[in-house]
Amino acid sequence: MADAMAYPGYPPPAKPPRSGADLAISIAALTLTVLLGAAAAFFGLFSLAFLDHCPPETCSVDGAVNAVFTSLLIAGGIGVVGVGLTVVALVRRKRGWPFAIATLALCALAVFLGGVGYTAAVG
């Protein structure tokens, strides 16, 4: 009975339309991020496999291992956080592409810096 006597409320606000371009850019950038991470992991571990002939005078195996694993862990952490932020933004129907592009750029930077560290360690 209380429902029949209740004052009719305003209709809920309409959700903003979902941008197809935003969704496409976000998915493409996140896909590239995952592919970059997989390629970096493959080539990083592959490069560590051939450090058998590393002369101790000019090469630090520990430094190379630390550079590769640290950059992969940092890139992985950035990737997980970036994917989460992008998905939350898209679900809220906000712009997600800035988060996706920033995730790709930061992961690429982490992998690049890991490569610089690896190169410095092996001489």
Side-chain angles (χ1 to χ4, degrees):
M1 184 75 183
D3 288 335
M5 299 177 105
Y7 182 77
Y10 293 104
K15 292 182 179 180
R18 184 167 293 176
S19 170
D22 179 38
L23 193 61
I25 292 169
S26 298
I27 290 172
L30 292 179
T31 301
L32 287 175
T33 302
V34 170
L35 292 175
L36 170 73
F42 175 76
F43 287 115
L45 296 175
F46 190 73
S47 66
L48 291 178
F50 293 103
L51 284 178
D52 297 343
H53 307 294
C54 186
E57 308 85 43
T58 61
C59 182
S60 169
V61 174
D62 290 336
V65 169
N66 287 337
V68 169
F69 284 128
T70 302
S71 68
L72 290 177
L73 284 174
I74 290 173
I78 291 170
V80 168
V81 170
V83 167
L85 289 173
T86 304
V87 168
V88 167
L90 291 173
V91 166
R92 291 182 177 176
R93 297 185 184 237
K94 305 288 183 190
R95 275 188 250 170
W97 69 265
F99 297 109
I101 297 295
T103 301
L104 176 61
L106 289 174
C107 284
L109 179 64
V111 169
F112 174 75
L113 291 177
V116 169
Y118 175 83
T119 303
V122 296

